[in-house]
Amino acid sequence: MPRAKLLEALNQMVSDPRPTKRSLTLNGHRTSVSLEPEFWEALKKLAASQDLSVNAYAAQIDAERAQTDPTVSLASVLRVRILRAVQKGQL
């Protein structure tokens, strides 16, 4: 994806920069994650595209994060996953 198109897509996604904190249940454990509303919406779409709930999709990503680098925040990993989906044209 050309850089200009990617920046345009990101600008459209992030119109409200204020994060919203939501609770997730990951493998039976409650945690809270702060993401901007557009990222929450994108996360819902990605989860639905895999026939998963947001909790189940986030749990998968969290399990991968735990094995690769548990020091990185879940919110950061979710944002990067969403960015990669945009870059691949999945969103």
XYZ file of all heavy atoms in Angstrom:
706
model
N 0.854 -1.173 0.000
C 0.000 0.000 0.000
C 0.898 1.233 0.000
O 1.799 1.343 0.835
C -0.897 -0.037 1.246
C -1.726 1.223 1.445
S -2.813 1.175 2.893
C -4.131 0.179 2.279
N 0.646 2.163 -0.901
C 1.447 3.389 -0.925
C 1.301 4.167 0.384
O 0.251 4.149 1.029
C 0.866 4.181 -2.092
C 0.091 3.201 -2.893
C -0.320 2.114 -1.971
N 2.373 4.846 0.746
C 2.408 5.585 2.020
C 1.263 6.589 2.130
O 0.615 6.692 3.164
C 3.752 6.286 2.167
C 3.942 6.955 3.510
C 5.370 7.475 3.639
N 5.633 7.900 4.984
C 5.419 9.132 5.438
N 4.920 10.050 4.634
N 5.690 9.451 6.680
N 0.996 7.325 1.070
C -0.064 8.350 1.107
C -1.424 7.712 1.361
O -2.224 8.232 2.145
C -0.087 9.127 -0.203
N -1.685 6.570 0.735
C -2.964 5.882 0.942
C -3.077 5.363 2.370
O -4.136 5.426 2.985
C -3.116 4.744 -0.066
C -4.487 4.148 -0.079
C -4.649 3.172 -1.219
C -6.051 2.604 -1.195
N -6.281 1.654 -2.264
N -1.976 4.844 2.911
C -1.964 4.366 4.279
C -2.241 5.499 5.258
O -3.049 5.369 6.170
C -0.624 3.702 4.608
C -0.437 3.233 6.043
C -1.471 2.187 6.429
C 0.962 2.681 6.227
N -1.575 6.640 5.053
C -1.795 7.796 5.934
C -3.232 8.284 5.846
O -3.836 8.638 6.858
C -0.817 8.918 5.594
C 0.633 8.656 5.968
C 1.519 9.779 5.451
C 0.795 8.493 7.464
N -3.799 8.281 4.653
C -5.196 8.693 4.490
C -6.130 7.750 5.248
O -7.043 8.180 5.937
C -5.561 8.703 3.009
C -6.992 9.109 2.743
C -7.330 9.048 1.261
O -6.420 9.211 0.429
O -8.506 8.837 0.959
N -5.864 6.450 5.145
C -6.692 5.465 5.849
C -6.582 5.642 7.359
O -7.577 5.581 8.081
C -6.282 4.045 5.450
N -5.378 5.870 7.848
C -5.192 6.077 9.284
C -5.873 7.350 9.750
O -6.483 7.383 10.821
C -3.707 6.097 9.635
C -3.003 4.751 9.568
C -1.510 4.933 9.783
C -3.575 3.781 10.572
N -5.787 8.422 8.968
C -6.458 9.669 9.330
C -7.958 9.482 9.402
O -8.625 10.036 10.269
C -6.113 10.788 8.340
C -4.739 11.348 8.578
O -4.215 11.290 9.686
N -4.136 11.890 7.539
N -8.519 8.699 8.510
C -9.947 8.435 8.540
C -10.318 7.606 9.757
O -11.379 7.792 10.343
C -10.388 7.717 7.274
C -10.370 8.602 6.055
C -10.695 7.830 4.791
O -10.844 6.619 4.799
N -10.788 8.551 3.679
N -9.444 6.682 10.160
C -9.732 5.818 11.305
C -9.652 6.570 12.620
O -10.364 6.260 13.563
C -8.755 4.635 11.351
C -9.016 3.577 10.325
S -7.816 2.248 10.439
C -8.167 1.588 12.049
N -8.756 7.532 12.726
C -8.502 8.180 14.008
C -8.991 9.631 13.963
O -8.227 10.550 13.820
C -7.000 8.122 14.372
C -6.765 8.692 15.755
C -6.494 6.699 14.319
N -10.297 9.806 14.128
C -10.837 11.155 14.156
C -10.968 11.664 15.587
O -11.006 12.856 15.823
C -12.191 11.193 13.453
O -13.093 10.320 14.105
N -11.050 10.770 16.557
C -11.144 11.148 17.964
C -9.956 10.511 18.689
O -9.925 9.310 18.886
C -12.449 10.647 18.568
C -12.636 11.077 20.011
O -11.743 11.751 20.568
O -13.671 10.743 20.591
N -8.974 11.314 19.095
C -7.756 10.751 19.669
C -7.884 10.277 21.116
O -6.936 9.733 21.653
C -6.763 11.906 19.564
C -7.611 13.126 19.632
C -8.900 12.754 18.944
N -9.033 10.465 21.731
C -9.162 10.073 23.142
C -9.428 8.577 23.282
O -10.418 8.069 22.757
C -10.284 10.863 23.801
C -9.961 12.343 23.922
C -11.139 13.098 24.404
N -12.130 13.040 23.303
C -13.352 13.514 23.379
N -13.768 14.065 24.477
N -14.176 13.437 22.352
N -8.569 7.876 24.009
C -8.778 6.439 24.204
C -9.983 6.166 25.102
O -10.345 6.968 25.953
C -7.505 5.955 24.890
C -6.548 7.079 24.847
C -7.319 8.327 24.581
N -10.577 5.015 24.858
C -11.686 4.527 25.670
C -11.222 3.238 26.330
O -10.713 2.344 25.658
C -12.911 4.229 24.784
O -13.268 5.419 24.096
C -14.074 3.740 25.605
N -11.398 3.152 27.642
C -10.989 1.946 28.367
C -12.157 0.965 28.392
O -13.285 1.334 28.709
C -10.573 2.295 29.792
C -9.986 1.104 30.546
C -9.525 1.512 31.916
C -8.168 2.166 31.790
N -7.491 2.323 33.074
N -11.869 -0.284 28.033
C -12.876 -1.342 28.072
C -12.285 -2.562 28.760
O -11.088 -2.802 28.711
C -13.323 -1.726 26.672
C -14.031 -0.581 25.978
C -14.776 -1.042 24.778
N -15.333 0.125 24.105
C -15.804 0.115 22.903
N -15.816 -1.000 22.212
N -16.295 1.207 22.356
N -13.161 -3.319 29.367
C -12.737 -4.552 30.024
C -12.825 -5.709 29.043
O -13.786 -5.815 28.279
C -13.618 -4.847 31.230
O -13.427 -3.870 32.216
N -11.821 -6.553 29.077
C -11.800 -7.771 28.281
C -11.597 -8.952 29.208
O -10.956 -8.820 30.257
C -10.656 -7.742 27.264
C -10.683 -6.670 26.185
C -9.408 -6.739 25.355
C -11.902 -6.830 25.299
N -12.125 -10.081 28.821
C -11.871 -11.324 29.547
C -11.027 -12.204 28.643
O -11.468 -12.623 27.576
C -13.183 -12.035 29.923
O -13.978 -11.143 30.704
C -12.915 -13.298 30.722
N -9.796 -12.428 29.070
C -8.851 -13.219 28.288
C -8.556 -14.507 29.033
O -7.917 -14.494 30.079
C -7.551 -12.438 28.061
C -7.705 -11.024 27.498
C -6.350 -10.347 27.406
C -8.400 -11.045 26.164
N -9.077 -15.599 28.501
C -8.887 -16.911 29.128
C -9.299 -16.905 30.594
O -8.584 -17.400 31.460
C -7.439 -17.379 28.961
C -7.057 -17.503 27.506
O -7.811 -18.046 26.704
N -5.906 -16.973 27.148
N -10.433 -16.303 30.879
C -10.977 -16.290 32.235
C -10.452 -15.186 33.131
O -10.883 -15.059 34.271
N -9.532 -14.385 32.652
C -8.959 -13.301 33.457
C -9.407 -11.960 32.904
O -9.306 -11.714 31.701
C -7.428 -13.371 33.466
C -6.897 -14.638 34.034
N -6.881 -14.889 35.374
C -6.385 -15.741 33.425
C -6.365 -16.090 35.585
N -6.061 -16.630 34.410
N -9.892 -11.078 33.783
C -10.330 -9.744 33.384
C -9.124 -8.818 33.296
O -8.236 -8.851 34.132
C -11.331 -9.166 34.388
C -12.594 -9.965 34.564
C -13.584 -9.792 33.478
N -14.198 -8.471 33.538
C -14.994 -8.012 32.599
N -15.271 -8.743 31.549
N -15.517 -6.820 32.693
N -9.127 -7.998 32.254
C -8.114 -6.971 32.094
C -8.765 -5.792 31.393
O -9.825 -5.937 30.795
C -6.888 -7.482 31.296
O -5.843 -6.523 31.375
C -7.230 -7.765 29.847
N -8.165 -4.638 31.506
C -8.704 -3.481 30.788
C -7.678 -2.992 29.785
O -6.472 -3.069 30.009
C -9.095 -2.373 31.760
O -7.980 -1.937 32.487
N -8.202 -2.505 28.673
C -7.369 -2.025 27.579
C -7.918 -0.678 27.139
O -9.137 -0.520 27.011
C -7.377 -3.020 26.394
C -6.586 -2.476 25.219
C -6.832 -4.369 26.817
N -7.039 0.269 26.896
C -7.438 1.583 26.397
C -7.054 1.705 24.926
O -5.886 1.577 24.571
C -6.744 2.697 27.184
O -7.225 2.735 28.498
N -8.058 1.920 24.094
C -7.859 2.141 22.668
C -8.780 3.267 22.218
O -9.835 3.487 22.817
C -8.215 0.895 21.853
C -7.375 -0.357 22.024
C -7.998 -1.520 21.266
C -5.961 -0.117 21.534
N -8.407 3.927 21.167
C -9.256 4.941 20.579
C -10.486 4.250 19.983
O -10.412 3.089 19.572
C -8.481 5.703 19.499
C -7.316 6.520 20.043
C -6.113 5.687 20.492
O -6.008 4.491 20.156
O -5.264 6.247 21.198
N -11.632 4.957 19.942
C -12.878 4.326 19.464
C -12.743 3.666 18.088
O -13.289 2.580 17.859
C -13.879 5.484 19.425
C -13.375 6.446 20.449
C -11.864 6.337 20.397
N -12.009 4.283 17.182
C -11.843 3.696 15.852
C -11.081 2.383 15.906
O -11.340 1.472 15.121
C -11.129 4.695 14.924
C -11.977 5.900 14.569
C -11.986 7.004 15.631
O -11.289 6.869 16.653
O -12.705 7.996 15.443
N -10.145 2.276 16.832
C -9.421 1.014 16.983
C -10.323 -0.069 17.563
O -10.222 -1.234 17.178
C -8.153 1.198 17.829
C -7.013 1.801 17.054
C -6.705 3.141 17.197
C -6.245 1.048 16.185
C -5.656 3.720 16.491
C -5.194 1.606 15.469
C -4.905 2.947 15.622
N -11.196 0.302 18.480
C -12.163 -0.676 19.006
C -13.045 -1.186 17.871
O -13.320 -2.386 17.771
C -13.020 -0.080 20.123
C -12.327 0.008 21.436
C -12.029 1.139 22.137
C -11.836 -1.080 22.230
N -11.378 0.816 23.296
C -11.251 -0.544 23.390
C -11.827 -2.469 22.066
C -10.682 -1.335 24.383
C -11.244 -3.251 23.062
C -10.681 -2.682 24.198
N -13.505 -0.273 17.024
C -14.362 -0.665 15.904
C -13.607 -1.582 14.945
O -14.139 -2.594 14.485
C -14.865 0.585 15.177
C -16.008 0.337 14.249
C -17.226 -0.275 14.919
O -17.555 0.095 16.065
O -17.852 -1.153 14.290
N -12.373 -1.248 14.646
C -11.558 -2.084 13.765
C -11.306 -3.455 14.390
O -11.332 -4.477 13.695
C -10.236 -1.391 13.453
N -11.086 -3.481 15.695
C -10.868 -4.754 16.393
C -12.108 -5.636 16.285
O -12.005 -6.845 16.047
C -10.501 -4.489 17.859
C -10.110 -5.695 18.686
C -8.856 -6.367 18.123
C -9.887 -5.281 20.141
N -13.289 -5.037 16.444
C -14.548 -5.792 16.292
C -14.646 -6.394 14.897
O -15.041 -7.555 14.737
C -15.758 -4.887 16.524
C -15.998 -4.512 17.954
C -17.257 -3.648 18.020
C -17.248 -2.775 19.242
N -18.393 -1.845 19.267
N -14.298 -5.601 13.879
C -14.366 -6.080 12.494
C -13.385 -7.220 12.248
O -13.731 -8.213 11.591
C -14.097 -4.937 11.525
C -15.226 -3.936 11.453
C -14.886 -2.805 10.502
C -15.987 -1.753 10.493
N -15.664 -0.637 9.601
N -12.166 -7.092 12.761
C -11.177 -8.165 12.586
C -11.627 -9.440 13.281
O -11.489 -10.533 12.734
C -9.811 -7.730 13.106
C -9.025 -6.776 12.218
C -7.749 -6.323 12.915
C -8.698 -7.439 10.894
N -12.140 -9.301 14.484
C -12.626 -10.484 15.214
C -13.767 -11.144 14.455
O -13.777 -12.374 14.272
C -13.069 -10.074 16.623
N -14.710 -10.341 13.996
C -15.859 -10.886 13.263
C -15.425 -11.573 11.972
O -16.004 -12.599 11.584
C -16.858 -9.774 12.969
N -14.385 -11.047 11.328
C -13.909 -11.650 10.078
C -13.356 -13.053 10.303
O -13.229 -13.823 9.360
C -12.856 -10.766 9.412
O -11.618 -10.831 10.103
N -13.023 -13.352 11.565
C -12.522 -14.690 11.910
C -13.545 -15.480 12.717
O -13.215 -16.485 13.344
C -11.207 -14.560 12.676
C -10.121 -13.961 11.811
C -8.755 -14.015 12.469
O -8.508 -14.818 13.359
N -7.870 -13.160 12.022
N -14.786 -14.990 12.720
C -15.872 -15.627 13.475
C -15.531 -15.788 14.950
O -15.810 -16.825 15.560
C -16.250 -16.986 12.863
C -16.869 -16.838 11.487
O -17.620 -15.864 11.274
O -16.599 -17.694 10.620
N -14.900 -14.750 15.520
C -14.525 -14.753 16.927
C -15.129 -13.536 17.617
O -15.376 -12.513 16.989
C -13.007 -14.696 17.089
C -12.199 -15.888 16.589
C -10.711 -15.561 16.626
C -12.501 -17.117 17.417
N -15.326 -13.663 18.918
C -15.692 -12.494 19.711
C -14.440 -11.635 19.890
O -13.319 -12.096 19.673
C -16.216 -12.930 21.082
O -15.157 -13.510 21.840
N -14.643 -10.401 20.299
C -13.493 -9.534 20.570
C -12.636 -10.155 21.665
O -11.402 -10.159 21.573
C -13.947 -8.107 20.954
C -12.781 -7.277 21.469
C -14.597 -7.421 19.757
N -13.267 -10.707 22.712
C -12.506 -11.336 23.795
C -11.660 -12.498 23.283
O -10.480 -12.611 23.631
C -13.436 -11.822 24.900
C -13.960 -10.711 25.758
O -13.328 -9.673 25.919
N -15.136 -10.896 26.321
N -12.254 -13.366 22.458
C -11.513 -14.527 21.945
C -10.372 -14.090 21.021
O -9.263 -14.635 21.089
C -12.462 -15.471 21.215
N -10.634 -13.102 20.170
C -9.600 -12.602 19.260
C -8.465 -11.955 20.051
O -7.282 -12.220 19.788
C -10.219 -11.623 18.262
C -9.281 -11.165 17.188
C -8.756 -12.055 16.253
C -8.911 -9.835 17.084
C -7.894 -11.624 15.259
C -8.057 -9.396 16.091
C -7.546 -10.294 15.184
O -6.690 -9.863 14.204
N -8.807 -11.124 21.024
C -7.783 -10.478 21.853
C -6.998 -11.516 22.651
O -5.792 -11.362 22.854
C -8.418 -9.449 22.778
N -7.663 -12.574 23.094
C -6.973 -13.634 23.837
C -5.939 -14.330 22.953
O -4.830 -14.647 23.409
C -7.970 -14.650 24.387
N -6.280 -14.555 21.683
C -5.319 -15.155 20.743
C -4.091 -14.263 20.594
O -2.955 -14.731 20.643
C -5.959 -15.311 19.363
C -6.688 -16.562 19.120
C -7.151 -16.649 17.665
O -7.033 -15.707 16.874
N -7.693 -17.799 17.323
N -4.348 -12.980 20.390
C -3.250 -12.025 20.210
C -2.418 -11.938 21.480
O -1.189 -11.887 21.437
C -3.808 -10.647 19.793
C -4.440 -10.761 18.402
C -2.720 -9.579 19.824
C -5.252 -9.564 17.990
N -3.082 -11.956 22.635
C -2.377 -11.884 23.910
C -1.496 -13.116 24.112
O -0.378 -13.003 24.620
C -3.379 -11.739 25.059
C -2.702 -11.433 26.371
O -1.853 -10.512 26.410
O -3.022 -12.103 27.368
N -1.973 -14.279 23.705
C -1.172 -15.508 23.836
C 0.082 -15.414 22.962
O 1.173 -15.816 23.391
C -2.007 -16.719 23.456
N -0.062 -14.872 21.746
C 1.092 -14.684 20.875
C 2.077 -13.700 21.499
O 3.287 -13.907 21.473
C 0.647 -14.163 19.507
C -0.163 -15.148 18.707
C -0.796 -14.522 17.477
O -0.377 -13.412 17.066
O -1.721 -15.138 16.923
N 1.538 -12.614 22.064
C 2.371 -11.588 22.707
C 3.154 -12.190 23.871
O 4.346 -11.922 24.043
C 1.480 -10.448 23.218
C 2.210 -9.370 23.992
C 1.205 -8.363 24.545
N 0.402 -8.918 25.605
C 0.669 -8.777 26.898
N 1.712 -8.093 27.295
N -0.116 -9.321 27.802
N 2.499 -13.032 24.657
C 3.147 -13.643 25.819
C 4.331 -14.512 25.403
O 5.319 -14.612 26.135
C 2.142 -14.469 26.608
N 4.232 -15.107 24.225
C 5.319 -15.974 23.761
C 6.440 -15.203 23.077
O 7.571 -15.652 23.069
C 4.763 -17.031 22.819
C 3.793 -17.940 23.521
C 3.783 -19.327 22.940
O 4.382 -19.585 21.905
N 3.127 -20.224 23.620
N 6.122 -14.046 22.497
C 7.156 -13.302 21.775
C 7.793 -12.218 22.631
O 9.009 -12.161 22.734
C 6.590 -12.679 20.479
O 5.470 -11.862 20.809
C 6.176 -13.743 19.492
N 6.974 -11.333 23.225
C 7.525 -10.268 24.062
C 6.463 -9.766 25.030
O 5.740 -8.816 24.734
C 8.054 -9.110 23.214
C 8.825 -8.090 24.037
O 8.848 -8.202 25.284
O 9.415 -7.173 23.440
N 6.364 -10.385 26.205
C 5.326 -10.005 27.171
C 5.506 -8.614 27.765
O 4.626 -8.118 28.456
C 5.414 -11.086 28.246
C 6.765 -11.682 28.094
C 7.170 -11.497 26.665
N 6.639 -7.953 27.484
C 6.839 -6.610 28.023
C 6.092 -5.544 27.216
O 5.916 -4.426 27.685
C 8.336 -6.243 28.075
O 8.856 -6.208 26.741
C 9.115 -7.245 28.914
N 5.667 -5.889 26.006
C 4.919 -4.954 25.166
C 3.455 -4.978 25.611
O 2.888 -6.044 25.839
C 5.037 -5.336 23.673
C 4.200 -4.410 22.817
C 6.483 -5.321 23.242
N 2.854 -3.804 25.719
C 1.469 -3.742 26.192
C 0.520 -4.364 25.178
O 0.741 -4.318 23.967
C 1.053 -2.299 26.467
O 0.817 -1.615 25.258
N -0.575 -4.926 25.696
C -1.588 -5.511 24.832
C -2.180 -4.448 23.915
O -2.420 -4.702 22.734
C -2.681 -6.184 25.670
C -3.829 -6.821 24.887
C -3.327 -7.854 23.889
C -4.839 -7.428 25.850
N -2.405 -3.254 24.418
C -2.961 -2.177 23.590
C -2.051 -1.893 22.396
O -2.533 -1.728 21.269
C -3.172 -0.915 24.425
N -0.758 -1.855 22.620
C 0.189 -1.609 21.521
C 0.132 -2.725 20.492
O 0.120 -2.472 19.283
C 1.611 -1.479 22.056
O 1.739 -0.324 22.832
N 0.087 -3.947 20.959
C 0.039 -5.093 20.050
C -1.255 -5.070 19.240
O -1.252 -5.345 18.035
C 0.197 -6.414 20.833
C -0.016 -7.614 19.948
C 1.567 -6.480 21.490
N -2.361 -4.712 19.879
C -3.631 -4.634 19.157
C -3.585 -3.549 18.081
O -4.047 -3.764 16.955
C -4.780 -4.371 20.130
C -5.108 -5.516 21.096
C -6.119 -5.051 22.136
C -5.606 -6.738 20.349
N -3.032 -2.396 18.422
C -2.931 -1.317 17.428
C -2.072 -1.738 16.237
O -2.408 -1.458 15.081
C -2.349 -0.052 18.059
C -3.324 0.708 18.914
C -2.712 2.031 19.366
N -3.531 2.671 20.354
C -3.378 2.562 21.665
N -2.394 1.824 22.178
N -4.186 3.187 22.494
N -0.961 -2.403 16.499
C -0.091 -2.856 15.413
C -0.812 -3.898 14.562
O -0.724 -3.873 13.323
C 1.253 -3.395 15.955
C 2.052 -4.109 14.871
C 2.064 -2.260 16.552
N -1.542 -4.792 15.185
C -2.289 -5.808 14.434
C -3.307 -5.131 13.513
O -3.479 -5.518 12.361
C -2.982 -6.749 15.411
C -3.759 -7.885 14.772
C -2.894 -8.894 14.027
N -1.922 -9.524 14.870
C -2.050 -10.738 15.397
N -3.124 -11.453 15.159
N -1.089 -11.237 16.147
N -3.973 -4.102 14.027
C -4.950 -3.364 13.225
C -4.252 -2.634 12.085
O -4.719 -2.660 10.936
C -5.758 -2.405 14.126
C -6.658 -3.226 15.064
C -6.575 -1.423 13.291
C -7.199 -2.452 16.243
N -3.127 -2.003 12.370
C -2.365 -1.309 11.324
C -1.958 -2.284 10.224
O -2.084 -1.981 9.033
C -1.124 -0.649 11.924
C -0.164 -0.005 10.926
C -0.839 1.100 10.135
C 1.063 0.514 11.649
N -1.492 -3.451 10.602
C -1.088 -4.449 9.597
C -2.279 -4.882 8.757
O -2.143 -5.117 7.549
C -0.435 -5.641 10.272
C 0.955 -5.319 10.776
C 1.634 -6.505 11.389
N 2.940 -6.135 11.877
C 3.574 -6.770 12.840
N 3.032 -7.843 13.405
N 4.762 -6.374 13.242
N -3.457 -5.008 9.375
C -4.657 -5.362 8.623
C -4.997 -4.266 7.616
O -5.377 -4.565 6.468
C -5.820 -5.596 9.579
N -4.842 -3.005 8.005
C -5.074 -1.891 7.079
C -4.067 -1.960 5.936
O -4.426 -1.820 4.763
C -4.984 -0.533 7.813
C -4.948 0.629 6.840
C -6.143 -0.365 8.789
N -2.817 -2.200 6.256
C -1.767 -2.266 5.230
C -2.040 -3.386 4.222
O -1.726 -3.258 3.047
C -0.398 -2.466 5.875
C 0.103 -1.259 6.623
C 1.375 -1.543 7.411
O 1.563 -2.634 7.936
N 2.232 -0.544 7.499
N -2.627 -4.474 4.706
C -2.921 -5.620 3.827
C -4.272 -5.489 3.124
O -4.667 -6.372 2.371
C -2.923 -6.909 4.651
C -1.561 -7.301 5.166
C -1.649 -8.550 6.015
C -0.295 -8.939 6.575
N -0.407 -10.138 7.445
N -4.989 -4.404 3.409
C -6.294 -4.199 2.784
C -7.393 -5.036 3.382
O -8.438 -5.247 2.758
N -7.203 -5.531 4.591
C -8.200 -6.354 5.256
C -9.265 -5.518 5.961
O -10.270 -6.050 6.383
C -7.528 -7.298 6.264
C -6.582 -8.271 5.601
C -5.738 -9.027 6.614
O -5.538 -8.598 7.738
N -5.218 -10.176 6.187
N -9.007 -4.244 6.096
C -9.975 -3.332 6.722
C -10.235 -2.168 5.777
O -9.392 -1.757 5.057
C -9.456 -2.779 8.037
C -9.535 -3.699 9.223
C -8.888 -3.046 10.449
C -10.962 -4.061 9.558
